Amino acid sequence: MSARARRSAAMAAAVLAPVAIWAVTDPLLGHPLRITDGEETLDLGAAPVAVVALLASLAGWALLAALERLGVRRARAVWTGVAVAVLAVSFLPLAGDGMDSGTRTALAAMHLAVAAVLIPGLAGRSRVHS
């Protein structure tokens, strides 16, 4: 499988993984994902979950491609370090108020799911078949 095909498949899986978590949490278990900021409440549905995962995936792929094209030594290792740092920072908003523990847990699982698919999927090497 070519690097482009592998990375495209990783992006698709990175979008589907958090949507699957949303589908289990919200419609199946009946726990709507809600974030409250003062008087405003944001209900998280499948579409926003998919869009955010897609944007994160595209940004990750763009950064990796830029590092590779610029000839950065060990571009994949650098990118992996950046991806892990971004994952860690993505948990900071989950420490704040405005959501219950179920929503917090589901969002944390979504962040981990995207990273678990995207980091090895984008940074991994293609296998050469003989």
Side-chain angles (χ1 to χ4, degrees):
M1 177 183 282
S2 73
R4 178 174 285 182
R6 181 180 40 75
R7 289 175 178 176
S8 294
M11 281 189 49
V15 170
L16 292 174
V19 172
I21 292 169
W22 173 86
V24 169
T25 304
D26 194 334
L28 191 61
L29 296 178
H31 183 83
L33 302 181
R34 290 192 176 113
I35 300 173
T36 304
D37 184 18
E39 293 183 17
E40 293 186 38
T41 299
L42 174 64
D43 288 318
L44 297 177
V49 167
V51 168
V52 169
L54 177 61
L55 292 175
S57 300
L58 288 170
W61 192 349
L63 176 60
L64 178 57
L67 291 171
E68 289 173 340
R69 287 177 199 237
L70 291 172
V72 172
R73 186 178 176 131
R74 299 184 35 90
R76 289 180 178 137
V78 170
W79 181 86
T80 300
V82 170
V84 170
V86 167
L87 173 63
V89 169
S90 79
F91 283 99
L92 292 177
L94 300 180
D97 294 331
M99 66 187 86
D100 61 23
S101 62
T103 297
R104 192 179 322 277
T105 302
L107 291 174
M110 288 178 191
H111 288 219
L112 289 171
V114 170
V117 171
L118 206 58
I119 292 172
L122 291 183
R125 296 194 180 271
S126 296
R127 293 187 184 118
V128 178
H129 300 286
S130 30

